[in-house]
């Protein structure tokens, strides 16, 4: 049984953990799939490459409102796809080579605990003083009768298909559904979204969620309050029986995409056998320092929490690295500001409290909302649907939350993330700081002043 | 001679001055041209509307790098132009009506001082306890033999021409030249830029200026170190004799656009007769509170300084309003952070020290530079030319300056403006604040960390 100082399970964020500072550790990294994990291979990065192509197509179509008339040739799916993966796929091999050159043992077989701090990987058993569990998550597939009888897709496989489907049914209305709806819609696929809840992007601020639902419904067929009750093959297509407000209907499409959530890979890891406590969703339970119930075992990212955000995983990675190196100075993640963005169309970005959360928890708040159209750049864009919404604390004047739907949302929100993190008040950021005229940032200034 | 409590000369920023707080003053506003001033009628706003159309055309052409092939119909200039001015032109009349309804006297004739605090406007003489001089600036036209013999344009007139020119010669290489070069280039005009200096946008950080010059030279004919020595009509065209490194050449084009700077309108105002001291460039001399040499007379914006930035004028307007209302609590503009952006292609934004300024003044600094391509979103964009450059103080870790060239530059720079204004260090903003992955803001984070 080979013994290491450090075993890292999972080479997504786990691979980022291994900087020179840990160079003196005898280290192994275990990754049965691809280095780079979900983010690089099946998540953030390739999806954004498709989204940018989709944005380009939609922007070109929309340019006519500015007097620029563009016609778009049918999108050559294979070219777009191959451009994406010809850039991504070589990265796995070079990452493995790089680790091996730096005397880190790389295991590429499936791994699972057979006892606390003992892992079976292929034919070998390995153990270590310190473990970092970063095995990530995978799409959760719901139990729908007949689903296994059709070749359905998830976010793991949809980006690598061979032909652009003429039509597509998307089960789910969260951020993955919203992003792929945008991509395939922009590329010319007829998209139907089947969503159980009353709106799309239910976890966003209600006003953003409502606006997005309205805009998505102009582009796609969106069925709300609807549930898929069975699936069957029909010729080369897929038929989905959907029950909703208006009774039952049968939808048919070339392709079925299931985007109904994700689950941590802690089951495959046999985390319980490893002595690790799990929460009710299967995440490894950790404290704020990312310590698990087994001393010397740390867990982070999708395996340990709900964020499903690479920038949170990066922060966790830095923290765990510090804590491993400085057992005398263990730090905790105190930053409660967890921003996120949805790269759909229009773009959405959010940080902090939503209005519905504030209400539900009886938190006193004020709201400032500004339409892009109220500022020079938004007016020039002839934008009619985008806005910035900011929640503030009426007493302390702190910024409690910010929600943006519209072009550049993921960029526009950064000063608000910064203000919340650094404890700057809405007045300081709105009044003392200058905003370039006529940049789009003026809408943030105006929302702060409205507050 | 009619007497007022307050006379505002100029209805650009001057018009913004008149909020309800000044409602108890008997007030007159004097504007021989259009309410809204340069920004609304001949500057920021209409130019950005043209720029957005140009961006849309260029983005559609560039989408092929992402696998989206668009073809652009020839841009219908008149449609674009009329869309812009059909939205802007009605605003003057409604602004005048609004002021008159609110009991403010509006004078629409040319006005000039005939003595300190006495203004001749048409046949009338008016006077006031308090004056605010906000008469703005206009294009400065150089003395070039023959220039008056051709129908040349400036930024005042170029946006209202009737036909898109086939070819255009631009004299000057500053921000106005850079923006109109982009607009007309994107619309299909063959653009030649004649610039005296060794680069375009000479006041930008040298690295940004050099990159922009390189990129602009791919789109336009750019003559550097070149000087127009004479101009003559030639048929329906304009011929410009240019002397430069490679001797003398004669350029010919449909249209000549002169963008060689702006000068304050203090001469037309006969500011000296009004007792106002001027600086060597013709700006009215003020202290930091915007008091002039005549008690009770305030001056701001292009009439009083070099910023030529509407967001600076807005800040000055708020300050002067406060100072007029609170003579016991006169405030000064302490904010030295004066950001700006150039809405050319690629976009440019800047705040604080340039590297050449730091060197020239012996200021100790460190530099962090990151290419967009080094981050996920930039990589997905297949960007190869954009970057963020940050100058920091090695001792205090303060941010001294930031310079961005690339998509969304004017939005991306906002957190850095905020950090500089609020005195946050590069470490705080780079390490303590989260940046959404994979948003474009990660390039700002990376530049801060590189620093």
């Amino acid at each position: 049984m080979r013994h290491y100082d450090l075993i890292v399970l999972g080479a997504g964020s786990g691979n980022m953990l291994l900087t020179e500072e840990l160079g003196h550790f005898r280290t192994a990294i275990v990754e049965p799939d691809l280095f780079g994990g979900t983010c690089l291979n099946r998540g953030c990065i390739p999806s954004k490459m498709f989204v940018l192509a989709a944005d380009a197509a939609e922007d070109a179509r929309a340019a006519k409102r500015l007097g620029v008339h563009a016609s778009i040739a049918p999108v050559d799916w294979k070219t777009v796809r191959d451009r994406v993966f010809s850039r991504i796929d070589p990265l796995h091999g070079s990452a493995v080579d790089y680790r091996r050159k730096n005397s880190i043992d790389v295991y590429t077989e499936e791994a699972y605990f057979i006892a606390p701090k003992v892992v079976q990987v292929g034919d070998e058993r390995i153990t270590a003083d310190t473990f970092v569990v970063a095995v990530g998550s995978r799409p959760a597939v719901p139990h729908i009768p007949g689903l296994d009888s059709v070749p359905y897709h998830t976010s793991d496989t949809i980006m690598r298909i061979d032909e652009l489907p003429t039509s597509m049914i998307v089960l789910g209305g969260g951020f993955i559904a919203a992003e792929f709806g945008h991509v395939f819609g922009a590329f010319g696929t007829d998209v139907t979204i089947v969503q159980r809840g009353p709106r799309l992007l239910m976890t966003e601020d209600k006003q953003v969620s409502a606006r997005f639902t309205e805009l998505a419904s102009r582009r796609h067929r969106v069925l709300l309050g609807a549930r898929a009750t069975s699936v069957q093959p029909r010729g080369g297509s897929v038929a989905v029986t959907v029950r909703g407000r208006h009774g039952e209907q049968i939808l048919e499409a070339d392709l079925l995409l299931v985007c109904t959530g994700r689950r941590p890979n802690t089951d495959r890891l046999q985390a319980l056998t490893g002595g690790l406590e799990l929460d009710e969703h299967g995440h490894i339970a950790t404290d704020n320092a990312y310590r698990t119930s087994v001393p010397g075992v740390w867990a982070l990212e999708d395996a340990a929490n709900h964020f499903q955000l690479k920038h949170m995983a990066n922060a966790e990675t830095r923290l765990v690295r510090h804590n491993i190196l400085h057992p005398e100075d263990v730090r905790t993640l105190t930053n409660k500001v967890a921003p996120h963005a949805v790269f759909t169309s229009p773009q959405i970005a959010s940080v902090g409290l939503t209005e519905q959360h504030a209400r539900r928890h009886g938190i006193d708040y004020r709201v400032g909302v500004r339409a892009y159209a109220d500022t020079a750049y938004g007016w020039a864009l002839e934008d009619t649907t985008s806005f910035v919404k900011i929640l503030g604390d009426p007493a302390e004047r702190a910024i409690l939350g910010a929600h943006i739907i519209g072009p550049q949302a993921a960029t526009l929100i950064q000063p608000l993330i910064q203000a919340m993190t650094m404890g700057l008040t809405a007045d300081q950021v709105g009044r003392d700081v200058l905003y370039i005229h006529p940049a789009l940032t003026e809408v943030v200034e105006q929302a702060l002043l409205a507050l």
Side-chain angles (χ1 to χ4, degrees), chain A:
Chain A
M1 192 153 72
R2 195 168 305 192
H3 184 81
Y4 292 93
D5 297 325
L6 171 64
I7 293 177
V8 178
L9 300 171
S13 294
N15 189 44
M16 311 285 284
L17 185 90
L18 299 176
T19 58
E20 279 182 13
E21 296 163 87
L22 291 163
H24 58 292
F25 280 31
R26 182 164 151 69
T27 301
I29 187 163
V30 182
E31 177 55 69
D33 194 7
L34 296 169
F35 268 57
T38 301
C39 173
L40 179 63
N41 297 291
R42 298 175 301 275
C44 323
I45 309 285
S47 66
K48 257 78 277 176
M49 294 169 84
F50 284 103
V51 164
L52 280 169
D55 287 350
E58 285 293 295
D59 288 350
R61 286 185 194 107
K64 64 175 180 289
R65 80 185 185 290
L66 302 170
V68 175
H69 295 265
S71 57
I72 317 291
V75 171
D76 179 354
W77 169 262
K78 276 187 189 160
T79 306
V80 175
R81 180 199 65 182
D82 293 346
R83 163 177 279 116
V84 171
F85 289 108
S86 69
R87 298 178 69 202
I88 288 177
D89 287 346
L91 300 176
H92 168 72
S94 55
V96 171
D97 291 347
Y98 178 77
R99 289 302 174 207
R100 288 190 166 142
K101 260 184 215 148
N102 285 277
S103 308
I104 291 174
D105 286 352
V106 178
Y107 293 88
T108 60
E109 287 166 291
E110 191 84 37
Y112 50 91
F113 281 109
I114 53 168
K117 302 180 89 166
V118 183
V119 162
Q120 180 80 36
V121 52
D123 296 334
E124 290 195 66
R125 287 179 182 186
I126 56 176
T127 180
D129 299 333
T130 303
F131 274 85
V132 175
V133 181
V135 294
S137 62
R138 64 183 187 275
V141 176
H143 298 287
I144 303 171
L147 185 57
D148 287 333
S149 68
V150 302
Y152 69 88
H153 287 272
T154 68
S155 55
D156 276 1
T157 55
I158 186 66
M159 289 183 273
R160 295 190 187 252
I161 57 177
D162 284 322
E163 302 284 342
L164 192 64
T166 305
S167 57
M168 169 186 269
I169 296 166
V170 181
L171 299 186
F175 73 95
I176 299 176
E179 292 191 355
F180 286 121
H182 168 44
V183 167
F184 286 95
F187 289 179
T189 298
D190 179 38
V191 173
T192 301
I193 296 179
V194 179
Q195 157 74 330
R196 293 182 99 152
R199 300 183 312 278
L200 302 174
L201 298 176
M202 292 285 293
T203 58
E204 297 297 333
D205 184 88
K206 202 166 168 180
Q207 210 170 336
V208 168
S209 161
R211 177 61 52 88
F212 178 71
T213 305
E214 173 198 335
L215 296 176
S217 301
R218 291 187 203 164
R219 294 178 66 193
H220 318 304
R221 182 157 43 153
V222 176
L223 305 178
L224 300 170
R227 201 160 53 87
T229 55
S230 72
V231 176
Q232 352 174 233
R234 184 167 296 183
S237 307
V238 178
V240 179
T241 305
V242 172
R243 195 171 290 159
R245 299 181 202 165
H246 308 295
E248 195 168 275
Q249 59 182 309
I250 298 177
L251 307 172
E252 225 179 295
D254 282 358
L255 187 146
L256 176 62
L257 176 64
V258 179
C259 308
T260 49
R262 298 179 65 85
R263 53 150 304 144
N265 288 325
T266 50
D267 53 343
R268 294 180 175 167
L269 183 66
Q270 300 199 10
L272 290 171
T273 309
L276 300 171
E277 277 176 28
L278 302 182
D279 70 13
E280 72 272 30
H281 303 289
H283 298 112
I284 297 171
T286 69
D287 62 12
N288 281 337
Y290 295 89
R291 282 178 287 228
T292 68
S293 53
V294 177
V297 180
W298 308 77
L300 49 80
E301 45 94 298
D302 296 9
N305 59 56
H306 275 286
F307 287 125
Q308 292 182 21
L309 293 167
K310 181 62 177 157
H311 47 281
M312 293 304 292
N314 290 341
E316 294 164 11
T317 304
R318 288 191 293 268
L319 192 83
V320 168
R321 186 192 306 126
H322 169 91
N323 288 347
I324 291 172
L325 287 165
H326 302 96
E328 77 296 349
D329 172 35
V330 166
R331 294 187 189 161
T332 60
L333 197 72
T334 50
N335 193 342
K336 301 274 184 221
V337 177
H340 73 269
V342 186
F343 292 86
T344 180
S345 179
Q347 226 175 59
I348 290 167
S350 166
V351 59
L353 288 194
T354 61
E355 187 167 359
Q356 64 266 28
H357 181 94
R359 267 193 202 177
R360 211 182 301 126
H361 293 80
I363 297 167
D364 198 13
Y365 67 93
R366 293 289 176 280
V367 173
V369 181
R370 274 297 180 150
Y372 281 33
D374 291 341
T375 60
Y377 203 85
W379 192 70
L381 274 172
E382 307 219 8
D383 183 277
T384 55
T385 60
S386 307
F387 63 85
V388 172
K389 174 175 180 173
I390 302 177
L391 277 74
D393 169 1
E396 307 283 329
R397 309 292 302 161
I399 300 169
L400 301 174
H403 311 282
I404 307 181
I405 177 167
Q408 301 187 28
T411 308
L412 273 180
I413 204 164
Q414 191 59 36
L416 298 167
I417 299 170
Q418 182 172 301
M420 288 177 70
T421 307
M422 305 309 296
L424 306 176
T425 66
D427 305 302
Q428 285 178 305
V429 180
R431 290 194 191 139
D432 298 348
V433 180
L434 289 173
Y435 295 76
I436 293 172
H437 178 81
L440 196 44
T441 49
E442 288 185 309
V443 67
V444 172
E445 176 188 32
Q446 291 298 320
L448 286 163
L449 295 177
L451 187 69

